[in-house]
Amino acid sequence: MHNFKELKIWQNARSFVKDVYIATSNFPQEERFGLISQMRRSAISIPSNIAEGSGRNTEKDFSHFLNIALGSAYELQTQIFLSYDLELLKEEKMNALNSSLEEIQKMIYGLIKSIIKN
């Protein structure tokens, strides 16, 4: 078992959730049940799955939940691009969110690889 609160990847993903909430707070109200909800749920899923997996009894289980978190990260990245395409996000904000998210994706992938090696 891992203490998820000590994992840098969980800390970064948790902080990133706030960035997504702030970015989506400026979206039009009609997106409340569309992209706003979807992006926020995807963002929340990343640290949540890291935490859930860290509490599992085996490394295989932990790796499984890390893969779910990684899937949520790629889902969110698509939603960020769509938000830009729909002119809900400015290019600068899109790039900033993607840069942070890509770092999180790399960290998750690296953790998965290190677990598989052991």
Side-chain angles (χ1 to χ4, degrees):
M1 250 172 46
H2 303 267
N3 183 347
F4 69 90
K5 293 175 282 189
E6 294 177 3
L7 295 173
K8 185 73 171 162
I9 181 55
W10 178 82
Q11 295 167 5
N12 288 2
R14 179 180 167 214
S15 175
F16 186 70
V17 170
K18 184 176 179 181
D19 295 340
V20 170
Y21 266 73
I22 291 168
T24 57
S25 68
N26 296 320
F27 283 17
Q29 194 62 20
E30 64 262 18
E31 286 299 332
R32 186 175 60 179
F33 300 110
L35 273 172
I36 294 171
S37 175
Q38 191 66 36
M39 289 176 72
R40 288 177 175 184
R41 284 183 292 135
S42 295
I44 290 168
S45 178
I46 300 167
S48 297
N49 277 291
I50 294 167
E52 184 172 355
S54 72
R56 298 299 172 135
N57 290 327
T58 68
E59 296 295 316
K60 182 179 178 184
D61 286 341
F62 187 25
S63 177
H64 171 73
F65 281 93
L66 289 172
N67 274 295
I68 293 170
L70 188 59
S72 293
Y74 282 109
E75 180 181 356
L76 179 55
Q77 190 167 36
T78 297
Q79 295 157 359
I80 290 168
F81 283 122
L82 291 172
S83 296
Y84 173 73
D85 294 343
L86 296 169
E87 299 179 356
L88 301 174
L89 282 178
K90 294 184 184 215
E91 185 173 8
E92 182 178 311
K93 180 50 97 177
M94 177 198 65
N95 289 336
L97 289 171
N98 271 322
S99 178
S100 296
L101 189 54
E102 286 171 358
E103 184 61 32
I104 290 168
Q105 290 166 339
K106 288 175 189 174
M107 291 176 77
I108 295 171
Y109 183 70
L111 185 52
I112 293 169
K113 282 181 67 171
S114 74
I115 290 171
I116 291 171
K117 283 184 180 178
N118 294 332

